[in-house]
Amino acid sequence: MSRALPKYSKRRVGFLGGAAAVALSGAVIAGSALAGESSDGNDANVRTLAGPGTISCPDVAPELPAIPASTRAEVDRNLGQLDTQITEANRRLVDTVGQGGPDFVQNAILGPLEDKRVAAINRIATAIGRTAERPAGLDSLAACTLTK
Protein backbone atom coordinates (compact mmCIF):
# COMPACT_ATOMS: atom_id res chain seq x y z
CA MET A 1 0.00 0.00 0.00
CA SER A 2 1.26 3.44 -0.90
CA ARG A 3 1.94 6.06 1.73
CA ALA A 4 1.14 8.89 -0.67
CA LEU A 5 -2.04 10.83 -0.13
CA PRO A 6 -4.86 10.28 -2.53
CA LYS A 7 -5.33 13.00 -5.17
CA TYR A 8 -8.33 14.63 -3.49
CA SER A 9 -6.45 14.90 -0.16
CA LYS A 10 -3.43 16.48 -1.87
CA ARG A 11 -5.67 19.10 -3.46
CA ARG A 12 -7.42 19.78 -0.16
CA VAL A 13 -4.12 20.23 1.69
CA GLY A 14 -2.81 22.48 -1.08
CA PHE A 15 -5.99 24.57 -1.10
CA LEU A 16 -6.11 24.94 2.68
CA GLY A 17 -2.38 25.75 2.83
CA GLY A 18 -2.77 28.40 0.13
CA ALA A 19 -5.79 29.93 1.87
CA ALA A 20 -3.88 30.03 5.16
CA ALA A 21 -0.93 31.72 3.44
CA VAL A 22 -3.19 34.39 1.90
CA ALA A 23 -4.90 35.04 5.24
CA LEU A 24 -1.58 35.30 7.06
CA SER A 25 -0.17 37.64 4.40
CA GLY A 26 -3.23 39.86 4.73
CA ALA A 27 -2.83 39.99 8.49
CA VAL A 28 0.84 40.92 8.19
CA ILE A 29 0.10 43.66 5.65
CA ALA A 30 -2.74 45.08 7.77
CA GLY A 31 -0.58 44.96 10.89
CA SER A 32 2.28 46.79 9.27
CA ALA A 33 -0.06 49.41 7.81
CA LEU A 34 -1.50 50.10 11.25
CA ALA A 35 1.79 49.86 13.14
CA GLY A 36 2.09 53.61 13.62
CA GLU A 37 -1.53 54.13 14.68
CA SER A 38 -2.51 54.74 18.27
CA SER A 39 -6.00 53.84 19.38
CA ASP A 40 -5.94 55.33 22.88
CA GLY A 41 -5.08 58.89 21.83
CA ASN A 42 -2.18 59.11 24.30
CA ASP A 43 0.71 59.06 21.87
CA ALA A 44 4.02 59.77 23.62
CA ASN A 45 5.71 60.83 20.37
CA VAL A 46 3.39 63.71 19.49
CA ARG A 47 5.36 66.86 18.78
CA THR A 48 4.20 70.02 20.42
CA LEU A 49 3.79 73.34 18.67
CA ALA A 50 6.60 74.85 20.73
CA GLY A 51 9.86 74.82 18.79
CA PRO A 52 13.00 73.18 20.07
CA GLY A 53 14.87 76.49 19.95
CA THR A 54 17.78 77.51 17.78
CA ILE A 55 21.51 77.28 18.04
CA SER A 56 23.31 80.57 18.45
CA CYS A 57 27.03 80.91 17.76
CA PRO A 58 29.35 83.92 17.91
CA ASP A 59 30.15 85.51 14.55
CA VAL A 60 33.77 84.93 13.60
CA ALA A 61 34.12 87.32 10.64
CA PRO A 62 34.07 90.61 12.64
CA GLU A 63 36.76 89.29 14.98
CA LEU A 64 39.24 88.56 12.21
CA PRO A 65 42.14 90.93 11.48
CA ALA A 66 42.77 92.22 7.97
CA ILE A 67 42.75 89.23 5.64
CA PRO A 68 45.50 89.11 3.01
CA ALA A 69 44.17 88.92 -0.56
CA SER A 70 46.06 85.65 -1.18
CA THR A 71 44.09 83.86 1.54
CA ARG A 72 40.72 85.58 1.09
CA ALA A 73 39.15 82.66 -0.85
CA GLU A 74 40.21 80.06 1.72
CA VAL A 75 39.00 82.18 4.64
CA ASP A 76 35.65 82.85 2.90
CA ARG A 77 35.22 79.13 2.20
CA ASN A 78 35.81 78.29 5.88
CA LEU A 79 33.46 81.08 7.02
CA GLY A 80 30.85 79.54 4.74
CA GLN A 81 31.47 76.17 6.37
CA LEU A 82 30.81 77.73 9.77
CA ASP A 83 27.42 78.93 8.54
CA THR A 84 26.65 75.52 7.02
CA GLN A 85 27.54 73.81 10.29
CA ILE A 86 25.08 75.99 12.20
CA THR A 87 22.34 75.32 9.64
CA GLU A 88 22.93 71.56 9.85
CA ALA A 89 22.95 71.65 13.66
CA ASN A 90 19.64 73.55 13.70
CA ARG A 91 18.14 71.01 11.29
CA ARG A 92 19.33 68.16 13.49
CA LEU A 93 17.91 69.91 16.55
CA VAL A 94 14.47 69.99 14.90
CA ASP A 95 14.75 66.39 13.64
CA THR A 96 15.65 64.97 17.06
CA VAL A 97 13.05 66.68 19.25
CA GLY A 98 12.18 64.45 22.18
CA GLN A 99 15.11 62.08 21.77
CA GLY A 100 17.70 61.28 24.41
CA GLY A 101 17.93 62.51 27.93
CA PRO A 102 18.52 65.90 29.48
CA ASP A 103 22.04 66.23 28.07
CA PHE A 104 21.20 65.00 24.57
CA VAL A 105 21.44 68.41 22.87
CA GLN A 106 24.77 69.16 24.54
CA ASN A 107 26.32 65.75 23.83
CA ALA A 108 24.89 65.02 20.40
CA ILE A 109 24.59 68.46 18.79
CA LEU A 110 26.41 71.29 20.59
CA GLY A 111 29.55 69.31 21.50
CA PRO A 112 30.24 68.01 17.98
CA LEU A 113 29.35 71.42 16.54
CA GLU A 114 31.94 73.07 18.76
CA ASP A 115 34.57 70.55 17.62
CA LYS A 116 33.78 71.27 13.96
CA ARG A 117 33.88 75.01 14.59
CA VAL A 118 37.27 74.74 16.34
CA ALA A 119 38.65 72.93 13.29
CA ALA A 120 37.25 75.51 10.84
CA ILE A 121 38.47 78.44 12.97
CA ASN A 122 41.93 76.87 13.17
CA ARG A 123 41.96 76.53 9.36
CA ILE A 124 41.09 80.22 9.09
CA ALA A 125 43.83 81.21 11.54
CA THR A 126 46.35 79.00 9.73
CA ALA A 127 45.44 80.50 6.36
CA ILE A 128 45.89 84.03 7.67
CA GLY A 129 49.07 83.02 9.51
CA ARG A 130 50.74 81.92 6.26
CA THR A 131 51.09 85.50 5.02
CA ALA A 132 50.42 87.65 8.10
CA GLU A 133 50.44 87.36 11.86
CA ARG A 134 48.27 84.45 13.02
CA PRO A 135 45.27 85.74 14.98
CA ALA A 136 45.05 84.56 18.58
CA GLY A 137 42.05 83.87 20.77
CA LEU A 138 39.67 82.82 18.02
CA ASP A 139 38.98 79.46 19.69
CA SER A 140 36.78 81.26 22.21
CA LEU A 141 34.31 81.84 19.33
CA ALA A 142 33.72 78.11 18.82
CA ALA A 143 31.23 77.49 21.63
CA CYS A 144 27.54 77.74 20.75
CA THR A 145 24.44 77.88 22.90
CA LEU A 146 20.84 76.81 22.60
CA THR A 147 18.35 79.66 22.70
CA LYS A 148 14.68 78.93 23.28
Side-chain angles (χ1 to χ4, degrees):
M1 188 155 162
S2 172
R3 290 191 182 267
L5 292 174
K7 279 189 176 183
Y8 69 90
S9 292
K10 287 181 186 178
R11 276 188 240 139
R12 189 177 345 169
V13 170
F15 178 74
L16 290 176
V22 168
L24 184 59
S25 300
V28 168
I29 291 170
S32 65
L34 298 174
E37 299 294 322
S38 176
S39 62
D40 60 0
N42 295 329
D43 192 3
N45 293 328
V46 172
R47 289 189 181 183
T48 61
L49 295 176
T54 58
I55 295 176
S56 175
C57 301
D59 196 9
V60 176
E63 304 298 323
L64 295 175
I67 301 170
S70 61
T71 61
R72 170 60 72 181
E74 185 177 357
V75 170
D76 287 344
R77 184 176 61 248
N78 284 301
L79 288 172
Q81 286 178 355
L82 289 172
D83 293 337
T84 302
Q85 291 167 357
I86 295 170
T87 303
E88 289 172 355
N90 277 318
R91 186 176 315 117
R92 184 155 186 233
L93 183 66
V94 170
D95 291 344
T96 59
V97 168
Q99 292 183 9
D103 295 328
F104 177 78
V105 172
Q106 178 61 43
N107 295 336
I109 298 173
L110 292 176
L113 175 61
E114 183 176 357
D115 294 341
K116 291 176 187 177
R117 285 180 56 86
V118 165
I121 290 169
N122 282 336
R123 287 192 299 269
I124 291 170
T126 300
I128 293 171
R130 286 189 200 116
T131 55
E133 185 177 341
R134 180 183 170 102
L138 293 178
D139 286 344
S140 64
L141 302 172
C144 299
T145 57
L146 177 66
T147 57
K148 299 271 178 173

